[in-house]
Amino acid sequence: MVDYIGVSDIRNILRDRGVAPLIAAITDQIEDDYRRWHAFEKDARIASHSAVGVIELMPISDGKHYAFKYVNGHPANTAAGLLTVTAFGVLADVATGYPVLLSELTIVTALRTAAMSVLAALRMARPGSHTLALIGNGAQSEFQAIAFADRFPLREIRLFDVDPRATDKLERNLRRHPATAGLVVRRMANVAEAVGGADIVTTITADKRNALILLPSMIEPGMHLNAVGGDCPGKTELHPDILRRADAHVVVELEAQSRIEGELQQMPADFAVTEFEQIARGLVPGRRGDRDVTIFDSVGFALEDYAALRVLHRLVRERPSYASRIDLVPDLDDPKDLFGAAVDLPDAQDRAAVKLRGRTRIGALNT
């Protein structure tokens, strides 16, 4: 039997544990795993692109556990009442190859994306940052706001989306959620107004195109940018001149993947970046000075999903009621008798009778 966490189970976990504490637990696990970077077998995700979206597999292993995520990205889905991103994932035991957890990862992806964003900002943004701008107010925006409100001394969150209904939704949810209810939440008329004077800017737009959401004229010394929405080939959010700034420090998850899918796809092959593991392991500072512009070019990496699955697996072991059990893998008395487990066979006496009846029928046919 395999532990299974569905959407209703995630809702129960969030109700019991809280959004901010669960994001914080995933944040800590992600950081721990980045610190043991060289223990992992790492690959860029395997993507199948179409004119309307992408379907991807994201595998990773540390030699003890293996994990993968199936995820799609279809920006036009919302017009049909469907989510832009859906996902599920598996955590398996390398020693046996058996899956130990099957989980929904649509909601969990939003949690781990927020966790990675806030982790990067904790290492790269100015200490004491108190103003957050959220450009793109769709499915992931509340998780981002709650994560930052939990770990930074935020006083103000600024909102902008080309779809005012998305901002209506985000504003309503932030005012109702305890983690953000006391903050000043301001909806802005445009991107420039939202970004001006902000300490941290997070872009999480959904359009699958090379967009110019942030322009060089909007960027002020000392800002930290979380560029989250540019996460597949042909989809970017930042003007390339922002990355070229002399005072810019550009950080990515896995360089080989980011050069294909991130803001980095706009830059030449020799453009210098830092992988986040270097910062997590203390080998490179996240910020060199208060006036530097720091940029986290986030596309999402399998290690982060692995960390989230590990957190969920640990929670289920602590409280089994957080999951159900499904017979995803056969449980055999004789591991060599897969047929016997799959097909109901009569007992020995019945088998003899069947054999005799079979001979009678064959004899009748031959006469």
mmCIF file of all heavy atoms in Angstrom, residues 208-237:
data_model
loop_
_atom_site.group_PDB
_atom_site.id
_atom_site.type_symbol
_atom_site.label_atom_id
_atom_site.label_comp_id
_atom_site.label_asym_id
_atom_site.label_seq_id
_atom_site.Cartn_x
_atom_site.Cartn_y
_atom_site.Cartn_z
ATOM 1 N N LYS A 208 2.385 33.125 -22.032
ATOM 2 C CA LYS A 208 3.504 32.385 -22.618
ATOM 3 C C LYS A 208 4.072 33.185 -23.787
ATOM 4 O O LYS A 208 3.813 32.905 -24.957
ATOM 5 C CB LYS A 208 3.044 31.002 -23.082
ATOM 6 C CG LYS A 208 4.196 30.102 -23.523
ATOM 7 C CD LYS A 208 3.710 28.748 -23.994
ATOM 8 C CE LYS A 208 4.876 27.907 -24.493
ATOM 9 N NZ LYS A 208 4.449 26.606 -25.021
ATOM 10 N N ARG A 209 4.881 34.205 -23.454
ATOM 11 C CA ARG A 209 5.486 35.043 -24.490
ATOM 12 C C ARG A 209 6.679 35.772 -23.888
ATOM 13 O O ARG A 209 6.833 35.847 -22.669
ATOM 14 C CB ARG A 209 4.477 36.046 -25.042
ATOM 15 C CG ARG A 209 3.952 37.033 -24.007
ATOM 16 C CD ARG A 209 2.781 37.836 -24.543
ATOM 17 N NE ARG A 209 2.242 38.743 -23.546
ATOM 18 C CZ ARG A 209 2.611 40.007 -23.388
ATOM 19 N NH1 ARG A 209 3.547 40.522 -24.186
ATOM 20 N NH2 ARG A 209 2.075 40.772 -22.466
ATOM 21 N N ASN A 210 7.499 36.299 -24.757
ATOM 22 C CA ASN A 210 8.616 37.129 -24.308
ATOM 23 C C ASN A 210 8.078 38.517 -23.991
ATOM 24 O O ASN A 210 8.029 39.401 -24.844
ATOM 25 C CB ASN A 210 9.705 37.194 -25.381
ATOM 26 C CG ASN A 210 10.461 35.876 -25.503
ATOM 27 O OD1 ASN A 210 10.795 35.263 -24.512
ATOM 28 N ND2 ASN A 210 10.720 35.457 -26.726
ATOM 29 N N ALA A 211 7.648 38.693 -22.772
ATOM 30 C CA ALA A 211 7.036 39.950 -22.346
ATOM 31 C C ALA A 211 8.083 40.853 -21.707
ATOM 32 O O ALA A 211 9.152 40.406 -21.279
ATOM 33 C CB ALA A 211 5.909 39.672 -21.359
ATOM 34 N N LEU A 212 7.769 42.125 -21.651
ATOM 35 C CA LEU A 212 8.620 43.101 -20.973
ATOM 36 C C LEU A 212 7.817 43.667 -19.801
ATOM 37 O O LEU A 212 7.316 44.790 -19.844
ATOM 38 C CB LEU A 212 9.052 44.199 -21.938
ATOM 39 C CG LEU A 212 9.928 43.745 -23.116
ATOM 40 C CD1 LEU A 212 10.203 44.904 -24.054
ATOM 41 C CD2 LEU A 212 11.235 43.147 -22.608
ATOM 42 N N ILE A 213 7.683 42.859 -18.765
ATOM 43 C CA ILE A 213 6.908 43.270 -17.597
ATOM 44 C C ILE A 213 7.664 44.329 -16.811
ATOM 45 O O ILE A 213 7.092 45.345 -16.394
ATOM 46 C CB ILE A 213 6.616 42.048 -16.696
ATOM 47 C CG1 ILE A 213 5.919 40.939 -17.489
ATOM 48 C CG2 ILE A 213 5.778 42.464 -15.494
ATOM 49 C CD1 ILE A 213 4.601 41.325 -18.103
ATOM 50 N N LEU A 214 8.964 44.099 -16.612
ATOM 51 C CA LEU A 214 9.810 45.075 -15.927
ATOM 52 C C LEU A 214 10.785 45.686 -16.922
ATOM 53 O O LEU A 214 11.452 44.966 -17.671
ATOM 54 C CB LEU A 214 10.580 44.418 -14.780
ATOM 55 C CG LEU A 214 9.764 43.865 -13.611
ATOM 56 C CD1 LEU A 214 10.688 43.345 -12.519
ATOM 57 C CD2 LEU A 214 8.803 44.904 -13.049
ATOM 58 N N LEU A 215 10.877 47.019 -16.895
ATOM 59 C CA LEU A 215 11.784 47.764 -17.771
ATOM 60 C C LEU A 215 12.934 48.335 -16.947
ATOM 61 O O LEU A 215 12.792 48.564 -15.731
ATOM 62 C CB LEU A 215 11.036 48.893 -18.472
ATOM 63 C CG LEU A 215 9.837 48.463 -19.342
ATOM 64 C CD1 LEU A 215 9.109 49.700 -19.880
ATOM 65 C CD2 LEU A 215 10.288 47.552 -20.462
ATOM 66 N N PRO A 216 14.075 48.598 -17.574
ATOM 67 C CA PRO A 216 15.220 49.129 -16.830
ATOM 68 C C PRO A 216 14.904 50.398 -16.045
ATOM 69 O O PRO A 216 15.433 50.602 -14.944
ATOM 70 C CB PRO A 216 16.255 49.392 -17.932
ATOM 71 C CG PRO A 216 15.924 48.413 -19.002
ATOM 72 C CD PRO A 216 14.428 48.304 -18.987
ATOM 73 N N SER A 217 14.049 51.247 -16.589
ATOM 74 C CA SER A 217 13.718 52.506 -15.925
ATOM 75 C C SER A 217 12.975 52.306 -14.609
ATOM 76 O O SER A 217 12.922 53.220 -13.769
ATOM 77 C CB SER A 217 12.874 53.377 -16.856
ATOM 78 O OG SER A 217 11.674 52.707 -17.208
ATOM 79 N N MET A 218 12.394 51.125 -14.396
ATOM 80 C CA MET A 218 11.635 50.854 -13.171
ATOM 81 C C MET A 218 12.516 50.372 -12.025
ATOM 82 O O MET A 218 12.075 50.351 -10.871
ATOM 83 C CB MET A 218 10.573 49.777 -13.446
ATOM 84 C CG MET A 218 9.585 50.110 -14.529
ATOM 85 S SD MET A 218 8.507 48.669 -14.835
ATOM 86 C CE MET A 218 7.529 49.257 -16.224
ATOM 87 N N ILE A 219 13.735 49.963 -12.335
ATOM 88 C CA ILE A 219 14.583 49.296 -11.338
ATOM 89 C C ILE A 219 15.410 50.329 -10.586
ATOM 90 O O ILE A 219 16.123 51.140 -11.175
ATOM 91 C CB ILE A 219 15.500 48.262 -12.005
ATOM 92 C CG1 ILE A 219 14.684 47.329 -12.908
ATOM 93 C CG2 ILE A 219 16.252 47.473 -10.948
ATOM 94 C CD1 ILE A 219 13.516 46.648 -12.226
ATOM 95 N N GLU A 220 15.332 50.262 -9.265
ATOM 96 C CA GLU A 220 16.045 51.197 -8.397
ATOM 97 C C GLU A 220 17.150 50.469 -7.642
ATOM 98 O O GLU A 220 17.051 49.261 -7.389
ATOM 99 C CB GLU A 220 15.062 51.837 -7.415
ATOM 100 C CG GLU A 220 13.929 52.597 -8.096
ATOM 101 C CD GLU A 220 12.884 53.091 -7.111
ATOM 102 O OE1 GLU A 220 13.135 52.998 -5.885
ATOM 103 O OE2 GLU A 220 11.825 53.553 -7.561
ATOM 104 N N PRO A 221 18.214 51.182 -7.290
ATOM 105 C CA PRO A 221 19.306 50.554 -6.531
ATOM 106 C C PRO A 221 18.792 49.879 -5.261
ATOM 107 O O PRO A 221 17.945 50.422 -4.552
ATOM 108 C CB PRO A 221 20.225 51.732 -6.200
ATOM 109 C CG PRO A 221 19.960 52.721 -7.284
ATOM 110 C CD PRO A 221 18.493 52.601 -7.593
ATOM 111 N N GLY A 222 19.304 48.690 -4.986
ATOM 112 C CA GLY A 222 18.944 47.975 -3.766
ATOM 113 C C GLY A 222 17.762 47.039 -3.893
ATOM 114 O O GLY A 222 17.476 46.278 -2.971
ATOM 115 N N MET A 223 17.056 47.070 -5.024
ATOM 116 C CA MET A 223 15.892 46.200 -5.195
ATOM 117 C C MET A 223 16.299 44.735 -5.286
ATOM 118 O O MET A 223 17.369 44.403 -5.780
ATOM 119 C CB MET A 223 15.137 46.553 -6.481
ATOM 120 C CG MET A 223 14.136 47.666 -6.361
ATOM 121 S SD MET A 223 13.228 47.853 -7.936
ATOM 122 C CE MET A 223 12.038 49.115 -7.460
ATOM 123 N N HIS A 224 15.401 43.892 -4.835
ATOM 124 C CA HIS A 224 15.526 42.457 -5.101
ATOM 125 C C HIS A 224 14.368 42.041 -5.987
ATOM 126 O O HIS A 224 13.203 42.328 -5.676
ATOM 127 C CB HIS A 224 15.505 41.636 -3.823
ATOM 128 C CG HIS A 224 15.459 40.156 -4.082
ATOM 129 N ND1 HIS A 224 16.511 39.476 -4.659
ATOM 130 C CD2 HIS A 224 14.465 39.232 -3.893
ATOM 131 C CE1 HIS A 224 16.178 38.203 -4.794
ATOM 132 N NE2 HIS A 224 14.943 38.028 -4.349
ATOM 133 N N LEU A 225 14.678 41.330 -7.077
ATOM 134 C CA LEU A 225 13.666 40.882 -8.024
ATOM 135 C C LEU A 225 13.555 39.361 -7.984
ATOM 136 O O LEU A 225 14.559 38.650 -8.145
ATOM 137 C CB LEU A 225 14.019 41.311 -9.453
ATOM 138 C CG LEU A 225 14.422 42.775 -9.670
ATOM 139 C CD1 LEU A 225 14.736 43.016 -11.141
ATOM 140 C CD2 LEU A 225 13.321 43.709 -9.184
ATOM 141 N N ASN A 226 12.349 38.868 -7.769
ATOM 142 C CA ASN A 226 12.051 37.447 -7.931
ATOM 143 C C ASN A 226 11.321 37.292 -9.249
ATOM 144 O O ASN A 226 10.117 37.581 -9.344
ATOM 145 C CB ASN A 226 11.157 36.936 -6.790
ATOM 146 C CG ASN A 226 11.935 36.589 -5.539
ATOM 147 O OD1 ASN A 226 13.053 36.119 -5.606
ATOM 148 N ND2 ASN A 226 11.333 36.828 -4.397
ATOM 149 N N ALA A 227 12.026 36.868 -10.282
ATOM 150 C CA ALA A 227 11.419 36.664 -11.599
ATOM 151 C C ALA A 227 10.953 35.222 -11.677
ATOM 152 O O ALA A 227 11.731 34.316 -11.987
ATOM 153 C CB ALA A 227 12.426 36.984 -12.698
ATOM 154 N N VAL A 228 9.678 35.006 -11.403
ATOM 155 C CA VAL A 228 9.136 33.658 -11.257
ATOM 156 C C VAL A 228 8.378 33.207 -12.507
ATOM 157 O O VAL A 228 8.364 32.024 -12.838
ATOM 158 C CB VAL A 228 8.209 33.581 -10.018
ATOM 159 C CG1 VAL A 228 7.596 32.199 -9.861
ATOM 160 C CG2 VAL A 228 8.978 33.977 -8.759
ATOM 161 N N GLY A 229 7.753 34.129 -13.211
ATOM 162 C CA GLY A 229 6.846 33.755 -14.289
ATOM 163 C C GLY A 229 7.509 33.274 -15.564
ATOM 164 O O GLY A 229 6.911 32.528 -16.335
ATOM 165 N N GLY A 230 8.737 33.694 -15.824
ATOM 166 C CA GLY A 230 9.435 33.231 -17.020
ATOM 167 C C GLY A 230 10.006 31.852 -16.785
ATOM 168 O O GLY A 230 11.108 31.715 -16.257
ATOM 169 N N ASP A 231 9.256 30.820 -17.177
ATOM 170 C CA ASP A 231 9.635 29.464 -16.778
ATOM 171 C C ASP A 231 9.550 28.446 -17.908
ATOM 172 O O ASP A 231 9.433 27.246 -17.660
ATOM 173 C CB ASP A 231 8.769 28.996 -15.602
ATOM 174 C CG ASP A 231 7.278 29.029 -15.928
ATOM 175 O OD1 ASP A 231 6.914 29.425 -17.054
ATOM 176 O OD2 ASP A 231 6.473 28.655 -15.053
ATOM 177 N N CYS A 232 9.616 28.908 -19.158
ATOM 178 C CA CYS A 232 9.674 27.974 -20.280
ATOM 179 C C CYS A 232 10.248 28.718 -21.487
ATOM 180 O O CYS A 232 10.266 29.960 -21.506
ATOM 181 C CB CYS A 232 8.302 27.376 -20.592
ATOM 182 S SG CYS A 232 7.102 28.546 -21.229
ATOM 183 N N PRO A 233 10.743 27.998 -22.479
ATOM 184 C CA PRO A 233 11.309 28.669 -23.650
ATOM 185 C C PRO A 233 10.293 29.615 -24.291
ATOM 186 O O PRO A 233 9.115 29.283 -24.441
ATOM 187 C CB PRO A 233 11.644 27.505 -24.589
ATOM 188 C CG PRO A 233 11.870 26.344 -23.677
ATOM 189 C CD PRO A 233 10.890 26.525 -22.560
ATOM 190 N N GLY A 234 10.774 30.810 -24.633
ATOM 191 C CA GLY A 234 9.905 31.801 -25.253
ATOM 192 C C GLY A 234 9.041 32.570 -24.277
ATOM 193 O O GLY A 234 8.165 33.340 -24.696
ATOM 194 N N LYS A 235 9.286 32.432 -22.967
ATOM 195 C CA LYS A 235 8.470 33.102 -21.944
ATOM 196 C C LYS A 235 9.396 33.803 -20.961
ATOM 197 O O LYS A 235 10.114 33.156 -20.199
ATOM 198 C CB LYS A 235 7.592 32.094 -21.222
ATOM 199 C CG LYS A 235 6.616 32.684 -20.211
ATOM 200 C CD LYS A 235 5.712 31.581 -19.666
ATOM 201 C CE LYS A 235 4.615 32.118 -18.763
ATOM 202 N NZ LYS A 235 5.111 32.555 -17.463
ATOM 203 N N THR A 236 9.404 35.121 -21.008
ATOM 204 C CA THR A 236 10.241 35.923 -20.112
ATOM 205 C C THR A 236 9.443 37.123 -19.612
ATOM 206 O O THR A 236 8.383 37.451 -20.154
ATOM 207 C CB THR A 236 11.514 36.414 -20.820
ATOM 208 O OG1 THR A 236 11.152 37.135 -22.002
ATOM 209 C CG2 THR A 236 12.416 35.242 -21.209
ATOM 210 N N GLU A 237 9.972 37.789 -18.584
ATOM 211 C CA GLU A 237 9.285 38.925 -17.974
ATOM 212 C C GLU A 237 10.167 40.165 -17.846
ATOM 213 O O GLU A 237 9.652 41.275 -17.700
ATOM 214 C CB GLU A 237 8.789 38.544 -16.567
ATOM 215 C CG GLU A 237 7.772 37.429 -16.537
ATOM 216 C CD GLU A 237 7.380 37.039 -15.117
ATOM 217 O OE1 GLU A 237 8.302 36.874 -14.276
ATOM 218 O OE2 GLU A 237 6.193 36.913 -14.842
#
